[in-house]
Amino acid sequence: MKADSAHKTAEASARAAILADVEAYCEELRPLEELCYLERRFNPDIQRLALKHNLLGMPLPVDLGGRGADYVTYARALARIGREGTGVRTFFSGQTSIGQYPILRYGNRQQQERYLPRSAAGELVMAFGLTEPDAGSNPLEMTTTYRRDGDRYLLNGVKYLISNGSIADVVVGFGYPADKSGPQRRMSAFIIETAGDTFVREELHSKPGMYTANTGMFEMVDHPVPVENLLGGEGNGFRIAMGTLVSGRLSVAAGCLGVIEDCLAEALNYSRTRSQHGKLIGKHQLVQEHLAEIEMARVASEALVLKAAEAKAASDADRDNAERAAAADIQVAQAKFFATNAAWQAADRAVQVFGGRGWSELYRVGRHLQDVRVCRIYEGTDEILKLKIAASLLGREFNAFS
Ligand SMILES: Cc1cc2nc3c(=O)[nH]c(=O)nc-3n(C[C@H](O)[C@H](O)[C@H](O)COP(=O)(O)OP(=O)(O)OC[C@H]3O[C@@H](n4cnc5c(N)ncnc54)[C@H](O)[C@@H]3O)c2cc1C
C-alpha cells in the first residue's frame, strides 16, 4: 500500500517536472520565436531550447532517453507549447508524435535503441513521410517504391509537405514494392536515414504562416535503407501509417487547445485595456460575446482533448484490444476535428476583438489566425475526419471510400 502511494507520488512529481520544464521552455522561447516570426525565418531555438529543457522525447520511456510522460501530461505539454504558436508545436509533432512514435510503437528493440535515445538527445531530427504530390487524403495512391538489393532496400519516390522534411536526419517513410507482380503488394514502412546524395531535399517556403517551422519535400533516387530498418514487417505500412496518425492527430488537437487558450488570454487582456466610446471595450456586450464564445471553445476542446488522450492511453496499454483501438481512433478524430475548427474560430474572434491591430503579424492573435488554419488540413482534413466519424455511427458498409 505504502509502495503504491510512493509510486503515485513519484509519478505526480515527474508529471509536474515535465510541465514545469515546458513552462520554462516556453518563456525562454517566446521573444526568440517572435523575432524569427517577424523576420519570417526558421527558428533553430525551437529545437535548441527543447534540448536544454529535456523536451525532445517527452513520451518516450526513461530507458530510451525520454521523460516517460503519459498521454494526458503530453497533451497538456503540447497545449502549453501550442500557445507559443502552431509552428513551434508542429516541430514537436514531427519529432515526437509522428517521428518517434512509430518506432516506439512498431519498431523492434534494436530499432528503438538505435534511434530513440539519440533523437531525445538532440542528435536526430525526426519526421514522418507519408504524403506525396499525388497522394494526400488517400495515401494508398502513393507511388514511392522499394526493391531489395542484397542487404538493403533501394527507395524511389517523392514525399511532399513533410513537417521537419528538409531538416530531418531520420524519416519514417512509406512505399510499395516495385515488383507489382510479387506476392507482397501492400505498402511497407521504413526508418530512412536522410544522409547522402540519393536523398534530395528542399524547403517549402510560400506558406501563409508557420514561418519558424520547417516544411519540406524530398526525393529519393535509389536511396539505400538497410534491411534491418524495415519497420513492423513487410506489408504493414498502411497499418503503421494509420496508427501513427492517431498519435499525430492528438498532438494537433492538443496544440489547438493551446492556441485557444492564448487567444483567450490575449483577448481578455486587450478588452481590459483598450477603450472606445468612453469605456473599456470589455464593457461592450458584443465584445463580451466574443470572449464567451472563445471560453466555450476552450472548455469544450479541453474536455475532448483530455478524453481522447485517456482513450489513447487505454488503447496503448492494451495493444491487442481492437475495441479500445477503435475508440481511441474515433475520439482522437473527434477531438482533432473539433479543436482545430474551434481554434480557427477563436483566433478569428480574438482578431476581431483587437480590431485593426489584430490583423497583423505584430500581434499574437494575428499570427495564430494565419498559422492555425493548416490544422484543419494536415493529419486528416476536416472532410476525411467527418467521414470517419459518420461511418463510425452508420457502420462499415457506409464507408464513403475504401
Ligand atoms: C504545413 C503542412 C505540414 C504537413 N506535414 C506532413 C507530415 O509531416 N507528413 C505527411 O505525411 N504529410 C504532411 N502534410 C500533408 C497533409 O497531411 C496533407 O496535405 C493532407 O493529408 C491533405 O492531402 P492533400 O493536401 O493532398 O489534399 P487532397 O487529398 O488532394 O484533398 C483536397 C481536398 O479534397 C478533399 N477530399 C479528398 N478526398 C476526399 C473524400 N474522399 N471525400 C471528401 N473530400 C475529400 C480534402 O478533404 C480536401 O478538402 C502536411 C501538410 C501541410 C500543409
Side-chain angles (χ1 to χ4, degrees), residues 12 17 31 46 79 85 87 117 148 153 155 190-191 199 221 224 242-243 271 276 286 294 297 328 391 402:
I46 294 174
R148 181 86 185 238
Y153 295 103
L155 270 65
F190 300 90
I191 305 169
F199 189 101
V221 184
M242 294 303 108
S271 300
Q276 281 297 281
L286 292 177
I294 300 173
S402 53

Side-chain angles (χ1 to χ4, degrees), residues 90 94 98 127-138 159-165 172 174 207 210 214-216 245 374 376-385 387 400-401:
T90 297
I98 53 178
F128 171 81
L130 185 65
T131 304
E132 299 184 1
D134 294 320
S137 296
N138 186 6
K159 296 290 176 183
Y160 181 52
L161 287 170
I162 306 302
S163 303
N164 301 342
V172 173
F174 301 82
K207 299 183 292 188
M210 285 214 326
N214 176 270
T215 312
L245 284 177
V374 73
R376 292 177 50 204
I377 297 170
Y378 61 22
E379 311 264 352
T381 63
D382 279 359
E383 290 77 14
I384 294 300
L385 297 180
L387 295 175
F401 56 89

